Amino acid sequence: MAFVVAVIREASPQERRVAMTPETCRKLRAVGATVLLQSGIGDRAYFPDAAYEGAEFEADADAVLQRADVLLCVQLPAAERLASLKEGAIVIGLLAAGADAVREAQLVARKATSFPLERLPRTTRAQAMDVLSSQAGMAGYKAMLIAAQVAPKFFPMLTTAAGTIRPSKVLVIGAGVAGLQAIATARRLGAQVEGFDVRPETREQIESLGAKFLDLGVSAKGEGGYARELTAEERALQQQRLADHLKSVDVIVTTAAVPGRPAPKIVSAAMVAGMKPGGVIVDLAAESGGNCELTRAGETVESGGVSIVGPTNLASQGAMHASEMYARNLLNFSQLLIKDGALQLDWDDELIAKTCHIRDGAVRG
């Protein structure tokens, strides 16, 4: 029996990404899905309705939700919208599991099954479904472009008739996907680039991009590719050595995060005070509290001649390519749930079992 995969427009005015592209629409139809879309879902990412060949369209979001066997989304719809969701539907996206009790209660009431892809196990098999990595790549790229725009200096070295301009010295803190993309972008712009991470195994990745690894003598190697939280003694030593180094840095991009916790504070107000006037900090962790003590999410503040930028939802600024990657992630995960043209969930599959947050209206933790 045919099943319906649905997408409605994202409610947040700041969210330009879309959970399905014309490419993934075609591929879902090829495996037996009926694709039902609210009109205009892709407009803000520059995918017009006409490009979604073979899809059905409804103007009203509630009419779409009432027929959805599978709902794909970037952000979870509002609770009042979820009240229209078909009972027993499957919801897949960046759902921020546990963050909104009202929305979660609505999913439970509708006996939904939810798959917040931020909980996806970080295994080799899961790489093609890893939404955090795909979106972090765009965020790291955009962050460095913001830094270059705000900085009152050229990034590259220039030899001109008016003399030689020395390259800007850029430090990227955190060498996950976002940090590595930021490093690569700064290198392309011609800056002198350093990368810092408390996980020593990232040295090779940083150096492979042509940057210098900043070794402060503190290691926080954790499980699953994430950093563990530093002890008080380790943090004090790290901060002392980092503060001395930042006195010579022109631009800092911070990307450090610990899953499920507030962002670690790495750059203190005292460190900012020690930086050169004209310095720039772009804090990718602004939404989870910021890596810099002075960061304000969604704002740019200045302290002692140093600009601290706290951008939010950076991946949405590259909506077209970010949507293409995100939609492929969702497609690849959705295909785990489809067998012989029908929805069949194999709960013995590690990726399905460990990603699920709510199963048939029961919260799994």
Side-chain angles (χ1 to χ4, degrees):
M1 181 177 177
F3 58 95
V4 175
V5 178
V7 182
I8 63 173
R9 289 196 297 268
E10 295 292 323
S12 170
Q14 287 78 41
E15 185 56 74
R16 302 181 61 86
R17 292 171 294 176
V18 64
M20 185 184 296
T21 63
E23 173 199 7
T24 60
C25 173
R26 290 192 298 272
K27 291 180 178 179
L28 282 165
R29 293 186 65 247
V31 296
T34 295
V35 174
L36 176 63
L37 309 175
Q38 183 183 10
S39 303
I41 62 155
D43 287 353
R44 286 186 281 181
Y46 307 103
F47 299 113
D49 287 352
Y52 290 88
E53 297 178 4
E56 298 179 21
F57 286 90
E58 289 275 5
D60 181 57
D62 291 334
V64 175
L65 293 173
Q66 288 162 8
R67 291 179 54 195
D69 295 305
V70 178
L71 175 67
L72 304 180
C73 58
V74 181
Q75 300 181 34
L76 189 63
E80 56 269 24
R81 186 67 76 198
L82 289 172
S84 298
L85 185 65
K86 181 179 180 179
E87 187 169 297
I90 296 168
V91 183
I92 306 171
L94 287 166
L95 308 183
D100 189 322
V102 178
R103 296 189 200 195
E104 190 163 292
Q106 194 61 262
L107 289 176
V108 169
R110 302 309 300 154
K111 296 182 172 59
T113 295
S114 70
F115 292 100
L117 291 189
E118 59 268 36
R119 291 170 52 128
L120 187 76
R122 305 198 80 181
T123 64
T124 300
R125 179 168 164 250
Q127 285 180 348
M129 313 165 198
D130 189 349
V131 293
L132 296 181
S133 292
S134 71
Q135 302 308 287
M138 178 60 77
Y141 172 73
K142 288 292 186 180
M144 193 55 70
L145 296 183
I146 290 171
Q149 182 178 12
V150 174
K153 299 181 177 182
F154 284 116
F155 265 33
M157 183 178 78
L158 296 176
T159 302
T160 75
T164 299
I165 303 293
R166 296 186 61 81
S168 292
K169 189 172 182 179
V170 174
L171 173 64
V172 177
I173 298 177
V177 173
L180 292 173
Q181 184 62 258
I183 288 170
T185 304
R187 286 283 296 160
R188 294 186 191 106
L189 292 172
Q192 180 183 336
V193 188
E194 296 177 309
F196 167 68
D197 198 293
V198 288
R199 299 168 297 161
E201 64 270 23
T202 61
R203 176 190 288 268
E204 184 178 347
Q205 295 171 301
I206 290 169
E207 292 178 345
S208 72
L209 294 172
K212 179 182 177 182
F213 180 75
L214 176 61
D215 189 351
L216 298 178
V218 178
S219 173
K221 184 176 182 179
E223 296 180 358
Y226 292 110
R228 65 172 175 82
E229 193 166 9
L230 296 175
T231 66
E233 294 78 11
E234 288 171 329
R235 187 177 301 281
L237 179 59
Q238 178 200 68
Q239 289 190 324
Q240 176 188 342
R241 294 175 177 174
L242 185 59
D244 292 338
H245 188 76
L246 294 187
K247 294 175 182 178
S248 65
V249 172
D250 299 304
V251 171
I252 305 169
V253 172
T254 67
T255 70
V258 178
R261 294 172 178 261
K265 290 292 186 288
I266 297 173
V267 180
S268 67
M271 292 180 190
V272 175
M275 292 178 65
K276 296 181 291 185
V280 174
I281 300 172
V282 178
D283 193 340
L284 260 70
E287 288 177 278
S288 57
N291 295 141
C292 177
E293 188 178 351
L294 302 180
T295 297
R296 295 179 188 169
E299 299 181 31
T300 297
V301 298
E302 188 171 310
S303 177
V306 177
S307 298
I308 302 103
V309 187
T312 58
N313 200 7
L314 272 178
S316 188
Q317 292 189 18
M320 180 178 286
H321 280 164
S323 294
E324 287 178 357
M325 294 186 291
Y326 183 78
R328 288 171 190 155
N329 294 147
L330 265 62
L331 168 70
N332 292 330
F333 185 84
S334 299
Q335 287 177 329
L336 297 178
L337 316 180
I338 302 168
K339 185 176 180 181
D340 299 327
L343 290 171
Q344 297 185 43
L345 279 63
D346 178 7
W347 293 104
D348 292 327
D349 187 319
E350 176 190 36
L351 299 185
I352 293 176
K354 290 189 175 181
T355 306
C356 182
H357 177 56
I358 299 172
R359 179 177 175 181
D360 299 326
V363 178
R364 293 162 54 94

